[in-house]
Amino acid sequence: MKSLPKLLAICGSTRQASSNHQLINALKTLAEGIFEITDALPLVNIPHFNPDEDMDPEQAPAPVKAFREQLEAADAVLISTPEYAIGVPGTLKNAIDWTVSSMHFSSKPVALITAGTSGYKAHQSLLGTLLIIESRITEATQLVIPAVKTKINSQGIITDELTLNNVRKLVNSLADITAGKEVTLLPSPGLR
């Protein structure tokens, strides 16, 4: 029996009961039989990015090495994040900053969900970051879910039909990219 592709799920929220953790749990159910999903290590354990500590990959702090190893082992990545003060949560941006020199997102299929009260500003910012570091993202593998608290319950069940359909589409589209199917990738902001 062929093994399922490995998907690393990264939550941009540090709250255990956050809507984004609930979305990841809902997605685990929707992706059953499509991906084998692993949760990323807690981002709060990753120290502040310091280029002086990133000169030699072997000398990187242990939590950074562990995060990079998870990325390396993954066939694809899912990021589900809130928007904080119309920006990307600092812990998430910090973790991604540690991967720029190591290029762990380069050519990696990525799905990005930004779910919060609004989410659009943070989504555009994070999407730009992921594209400039060469993540493989399509229109169908990125999604903004505004007013998320009205669309998912505390048991991690998506209660809004449109949101449920959009998340299913995102999962299937990410599976297509991961399988190497021909897709139209979003261009890097530096190439526009």
Side-chain angles (χ1 to χ4, degrees):
M1 187 166 108
K2 189 178 174 190
S3 61
L4 296 175
K6 294 174 172 43
L7 177 63
L8 181 65
I10 301 172
C11 186
S13 176
T14 55
R15 287 183 56 238
Q16 284 306 307
S18 74
S19 298
N20 283 277
H21 276 291
Q22 292 165 354
L23 269 173
I24 288 172
N25 288 334
L27 199 134
K28 286 176 181 176
T29 302
L30 295 172
E32 204 169 312
I34 301 171
F35 286 105
E36 177 188 321
I37 302 178
T38 301
D39 290 320
L41 298 169
L43 301 184
V44 294
N45 296 337
I46 297 175
H48 293 295
F49 175 66
N50 181 345
D52 290 337
E53 294 182 25
D54 200 27
M55 304 299 267
D56 178 0
E58 295 304 313
Q59 300 302 316
V64 172
K65 282 195 215 179
F67 181 59
R68 287 175 174 173
E69 286 168 6
Q70 282 193 305
L71 286 166
E72 196 168 315
D75 298 303
V77 175
L78 163 74
I79 298 172
S80 185
T81 183
E83 178 179 75
Y84 291 163
I86 72 166
V88 178
T91 52
L92 176 58
K93 180 65 168 67
N94 180 62
I96 292 170
D97 286 346
W98 277 106
T99 70
V100 174
S101 65
S102 64
M103 299 182 68
H104 277 91
F105 276 94
S106 181
S107 299
K108 188 79 70 177
V110 174
L112 172 61
I113 299 174
T114 308
T117 303
S118 174
Y120 293 98
K121 296 283 188 183
H123 188 81
Q124 286 308 310
S125 176
L126 187 52
L127 183 60
T129 298
L130 291 168
L131 291 173
I132 204 72
I133 60 174
E134 302 175 343
S135 299
R136 301 182 77 222
I137 302 174
T138 68
E139 282 294 335
T141 59
Q142 47 109 18
L143 177 63
V144 177
I145 305 175
V148 67
K149 289 186 185 296
T150 67
K151 297 172 181 172
I152 188 165
N153 65 25
S154 60
Q155 289 78 43
I157 297 168
I158 299 171
T159 55
D160 178 70
E161 187 87 21
L162 179 60
T163 301
L164 181 61
N165 289 336
N166 286 338
V167 172
R168 279 192 179 120
K169 181 179 172 186
L170 179 136
V171 169
N172 291 326
S173 297
L174 184 61
D176 287 345
I177 298 173
T178 307
K181 292 187 179 172
E182 192 167 324
V183 294
T184 302
L185 298 173
L186 293 176
S188 169
L191 302 177
R192 289 183 187 174

